Amino acid sequence: MGDPSDAVKARAEAMFRTVAAGETVSAGMSEYLAKQRAELDKTSRLRALRLAKEQPKK
């Protein structure tokens, strides 16, 4: 008739692991993108400072 309770429990746990893994991946990706954005912002700021310093004074 229906699934035995062990099979239902195993299926529910497998679904939970899949969802939890997806959340972990998206959280990790968000952290990676935030670090990448911070590095790009820092690089842009430093480049602007360097170019301003190298610019000939009139």
Side-chain angles (χ1 to χ4, degrees), residues 14-42:
M15 288 176 61
F16 176 76
R17 281 192 297 274
T18 302
V19 170
E23 290 172 357
T24 302
V25 169
S26 65
M29 187 58 146
S30 296
E31 183 179 336
Y32 169 78
L33 292 174
K35 285 181 181 181
Q36 184 180 30
R37 183 83 226 142
E39 187 173 333
L40 289 173
D41 290 344
K42 182 180 176 182

Side-chain angles (χ1 to χ4, degrees), residues 3-5 8-11 15 17-19 27 39-40 42-44 46-47 50 54-55 58:
D3 291 325
S5 62
V8 172
K9 184 178 177 183
R11 189 170 48 221
M15 288 176 61
R17 281 192 297 274
T18 302
V19 170
E39 187 173 333
L40 289 173
K42 182 180 176 182
T43 302
S44 296
L46 291 173
R47 177 180 284 145
R50 179 180 51 81
E54 292 175 354
Q55 197 171 34
K58 293 183 178 182

